[in-house]
Amino acid sequence: MRNASTIGGIHVKQLHDIPFSVLDLAPIREGGTAADSFHNTLDLARHAEKWGYNRYWLAEHHNMTGIASSATSVVIGHVAAGTNTIRVGSGGIMLSNHAPLVIAEQFGTLESLYPGRIDLGLGRAPGSDQAAARALRRSLGSDGSEFPEQLSELRAYFDPEGSGSRPAGVRAVPGEGLNIPIWLLGSSGFSAQLAGQLGLPFAFASHFAPDYLLPALHLYRTSFKPSAVLDKPYVMVGLGITAADTVEEARRLATSQQQQFLNIIRGRTGKLQPPVDSLDGIWTSQEKALLMSKQQYSIAGDQALIEERLLQILEETGADEWIIASQIYDHSARLHSYELVADLLKKE
């Protein structure tokens, strides 16, 4: 049932109706370097542009030896400079780590260099551990409750009439007057409700916080107020997808991402590990149960299996856009995974 259809005169979304995008954590592989990661990131972005992906977002993380995108704005510039049409942005910038003026200037610069192609996705979590958060902020007085105030200040820097929400006499140059789409990102209800109240698009990190996805989407949609940005809710759902020609190969490739999750469960970081035939002997039964509970919106399989699961998720969520993270050790296998997904989602 791939053809668009209507029920009672209402259009029912099919997979080919949904834009699809890339979330890249710029993984540093075991045996590799950050320089290798940036080379692979640009190569993936160029292929994603060719395959019809809508956006290419990079995520801010700190003090993680397996993630190279800590200077997120710089890497966005690297990707935008090496591509032509795909939108490039942050998924996301952790606003609590930065002065709003700095982010306004950075993204004002990016938008001035690559007009009409830059997205600013914002989160309120630190994207780091407490030691790194302290090093970034010089204090841990922030608990995320100041995020709405920071967001208001940031938006005011882009708005020439927004002087009431920013320090008197302070302007973002470049930045002021530029139309840079702002998204709120979340893994709980806080940003969902705020995005709804402000009439902003909302992206949910269901690839690592699956339990809260449906409640957060309900909260977003029920609290939504039309704005100059959107007249109705717009939801992007984050998915972890590992695609291969066979289910068995996809599941093997997915063990790299599972080992990464396992490190997080154990409270440590590490580079992206090569896949293994089995995680038996690597994880405990308790760790396996916890990891599997976080994999509800992660899919490893061939195109048929992925299509079946995506149709289920579309029915559950009514997603307006997918954003896909694929933590695959071998770069050629990662490219092939994204190509298989693109071929599937474009098929009518």
Side-chain angles (χ1 to χ4, degrees), residues 234-256:
Y234 192 94
V235 167
M236 179 188 287
V237 171
L239 302 171
I241 298 183
T242 304
D245 295 326
T246 67
V247 173
E248 293 73 20
E249 177 60 12
R251 289 176 176 168
R252 179 179 177 275
L253 293 173
T255 61
S256 294

Side-chain angles (χ1 to χ4, degrees), residues 73 90 92-96 98-108 119-123 146-160 162-167 170-178 180-184 198 200:
S73 299
S90 58
I93 289 288
M94 302 297 108
L95 192 53
S96 59
H98 310 278
L101 176 61
V102 171
I103 299 305
E105 291 172 340
Q106 289 178 357
F107 278 77
D119 294 327
L120 176 50
L122 298 168
E146 77 289 354
F147 181 74
E149 181 180 348
Q150 291 179 309
L151 174 61
S152 177
E153 181 182 342
L154 173 61
R155 297 181 75 193
Y157 286 124
F158 294 127
D159 181 4
S163 57
S165 301
R166 65 189 187 207
V170 180
R171 302 170 68 177
V173 182
E176 186 175 298
L178 297 180
I180 302 171
I182 290 178
W183 293 67
L184 296 195
L198 297 176
L200 295 175

Side-chain angles (χ1 to χ4, degrees), residues 53-297:
Y53 282 85
N54 190 34
R55 310 174 200 275
Y56 196 100
W57 280 7
L58 293 130
E60 178 185 349
H61 290 279
H62 300 278
N63 203 28
M64 300 187 74
T65 55
I67 296 177
S69 53
S70 54
T72 316
S73 299
V74 178
V75 187
I76 290 170
H78 171 62
V79 172
T83 53
N84 297 301
T85 58
I86 195 168
R87 298 194 65 89
V88 189
S90 58
I93 289 288
M94 302 297 108
L95 192 53
S96 59
N97 294 335
H98 310 278
L101 176 61
V102 171
I103 299 305
E105 291 172 340
Q106 289 178 357
F107 278 77
T109 299
L110 288 166
E111 175 65 20
S112 298
L113 289 168
Y114 311 105
R117 295 182 56 207
I118 301 299
D119 294 327
L120 176 50
L122 298 168
R124 70 185 186 103
S128 62
D129 55 27
Q130 285 199 344
R134 186 182 299 277
L136 286 162
R137 307 181 198 173
R138 299 303 180 193
S139 76
L140 292 179
S142 167
D143 61 1
S145 61
E146 77 289 354
F147 181 74
E149 181 180 348
Q150 291 179 309
L151 174 61
S152 177
E153 181 182 342
L154 173 61
R155 297 181 75 193
Y157 286 124
F158 294 127
D159 181 4
E161 307 301 323
S163 57
S165 301
R166 65 189 187 207
V170 180
R171 302 170 68 177
V173 182
E176 186 175 298
L178 297 180
N179 180 23
I180 302 171
I182 290 178
W183 293 67
L184 296 195
L185 282 55
S187 56
S188 65
F190 185 98
S191 291
Q193 185 170 27
L194 182 60
Q197 292 169 345
L198 297 176
L200 295 175
F202 177 61
F204 191 87
S206 35
H207 56 295
F208 68 78
D211 294 339
Y212 299 103
L213 171 63
L214 298 181
L217 297 190
H218 176 74
L219 185 59
Y220 170 63
R221 288 170 172 143
T222 55
S223 62
F224 185 85
K225 298 177 181 178
S227 68
V229 177
L230 287 176
D231 59 1
K232 61 182 180 179
Y234 192 94
V235 167
M236 179 188 287
V237 171
L239 302 171
I241 298 183
T242 304
D245 295 326
T246 67
V247 173
E248 293 73 20
E249 177 60 12
R251 289 176 176 168
R252 179 179 177 275
L253 293 173
T255 61
S256 294
Q257 180 253 349
Q258 290 172 333
Q259 290 176 81
Q260 193 173 54
F261 265 112
L262 191 57
N263 275 336
I264 293 172
I265 291 170
R266 293 172 174 175
R268 64 192 192 206
T269 65
K271 294 185 176 182
L272 189 66
Q273 297 297 307
V276 293
D277 292 332
S278 172
L279 287 169
D280 292 341
I282 297 176
W283 56 14
T284 67
S285 59
Q286 293 86 355
E287 288 172 337
K288 178 180 179 179
L290 181 57
L291 194 151
M292 289 296 101
S293 74
K294 299 294 186 182
Q295 300 275 291
Q296 298 172 45
Y297 295 99

Side-chain angles (χ1 to χ4, degrees), residues 24-27 36-46 56 58 75 78-79 331 334:
D24 184 8
L25 303 185
D36 297 329
S37 173
F38 297 140
H39 173 83
N40 291 340
T41 282
L42 182 55
D43 187 53
L44 174 57
R46 286 170 170 163
Y56 196 100
L58 293 130
V75 187
H78 171 62
V79 172
H331 181 60
R334 190 174 185 224

